[in-house]
Amino acid sequence: HVSPCHNVVIVPPTRLRRWLRYNFCLGRSVVLGDEMGLGKTAQALAMLQCLRSLHRIPPPYLIVVPLSTLAHWQREIASWTSLFVVTFHGGKEAREVLLEHEWLVGGRRQRGGGGGGAPVRVRFDICLTTYEMVVTAADAFRRVGLWSYMIVDEGHRLKNRQSKALGVLTELRSRVRLVLTGTPLQNHPSELYALLHFVDPASFQTHDDFLQTYGDLQSCEQVPSDPGPIPTGSPPGSPFRSTSIRIPPRIPPGSHPDPTRIPPGSHPDPT
């Protein structure tokens, strides 16, 4: 069901993966907010396995996590998926080895991690990395033409609009983005805008327009029944509009957007 004040779909754990699959088929990025320890990691990884095995969505998939949880994610990927994962982390020499063997230019290895800015074809299913590596090796991630699915753990770290990691992740082309967070924001409109713009830049285009519409809200009682659209966004994008969403009882395994194009609502090439 949907909460009375916010466009927040409350999904039972038994239907969560179906909800993630449903949103992927719509080309819609989402934020999954839940208390710590309730299985967000397992559900997100099961989603990747569904994409590969049931929906036949080809890799690569990108997972960005804090350094402190890197080992945990490695264990969970091994437990919940059969996908080939590369952990992109380490010093310059270690990263060059990964680039040489896993990032292919024209079907060939990049000697010494080279290859310039040419597009690459990767050999892995999942790239697991950290916020720090996304910034340090930004060019390597940009050279992947399209990430079929992007998972960002502890997404509240993106609440700072000036964050370098947020800037790089926003530039990366992806079909759908899934942001995981177990830490609520401190009710600051700017923090909320940063996350909403990351998952749906078409609806939440400018910070100033967002603040003009929602900047004075202090409590649930101030939310009108129909707040109207953000000036430069689309009405369905309002974070405070209660909209019922029906999850189909069964999503056929082959249901997915045309893999030859990016579905509506995904993130276009920033250039």
Side-chain angles (χ1 to χ4, degrees), residues 23-24 26-30 174-177 198-203 261-268:
N23 279 285
F24 178 84
L26 294 179
R28 180 165 55 198
S29 297
V30 295
S174 58
R175 289 184 183 274
V176 168
R177 297 169 178 173
F198 178 68
V199 298
D200 190 0
S203 294
R261 68 181 181 88
I262 305 176
S266 59
H267 309 277

Side-chain angles (χ1 to χ4, degrees), residues 1-11 241-245:
H1 63 281
V2 182
S3 70
C5 292
H6 304 283
N7 192 16
V8 177
V9 182
I10 302 174
V11 184
R241 188 187 304 277
S242 295
T243 306
S244 251
I245 295 178

Side-chain angles (χ1 to χ4, degrees), residues 111-134:
R111 296 299 178 186
V120 298
R121 179 175 60 85
V122 299
R123 302 179 63 185
F124 50 81
D125 296 321
I126 298 175
C127 177
L128 174 65
T129 190
T130 66
Y131 284 91
E132 294 78 11
M133 286 295 102
V134 164

Side-chain angles (χ1 to χ4, degrees), residues 53-154:
S53 302
L54 295 181
H55 295 278
R56 304 179 184 88
I57 301 297
Y61 317 119
L62 178 64
I63 303 178
V64 182
V65 306
L67 178 59
S68 60
T69 65
L70 188 65
H72 167 72
W73 274 89
Q74 289 175 314
R75 292 191 299 269
E76 293 297 291
I77 291 172
S79 298
W80 290 98
T81 79
S82 60
L83 304 175
F84 174 47
V85 59
V86 164
T87 300
F88 193 93
H89 181 67
K92 182 177 179 180
E93 292 184 0
R95 297 197 304 272
E96 287 182 349
V97 171
L98 287 173
L99 291 174
E100 178 178 343
H101 291 273
E102 305 298 341
W103 266 253
L104 304 181
V105 177
R108 298 181 180 180
R109 293 180 180 177
Q110 305 177 56
R111 296 299 178 186
V120 298
R121 179 175 60 85
V122 299
R123 302 179 63 185
F124 50 81
D125 296 321
I126 298 175
C127 177
L128 174 65
T129 190
T130 66
Y131 284 91
E132 294 78 11
M133 286 295 102
V134 164
V135 175
T136 301
D139 288 342
F141 295 103
R142 292 190 187 105
R143 290 168 59 194
V144 176
L146 179 67
W147 296 95
S148 292
Y149 205 80
M150 180 191 298
I151 298 173
V152 180
D153 191 23
E154 295 196 15

Side-chain angles (χ1 to χ4, degrees), residues 20 37 48 68 71 134 163 168-169 184 203 221 227 234 252:
L20 292 175
L48 294 187
S68 60
V134 164
S163 164
V168 175
L169 290 174
S203 294
E221 288 71 22
S234 58

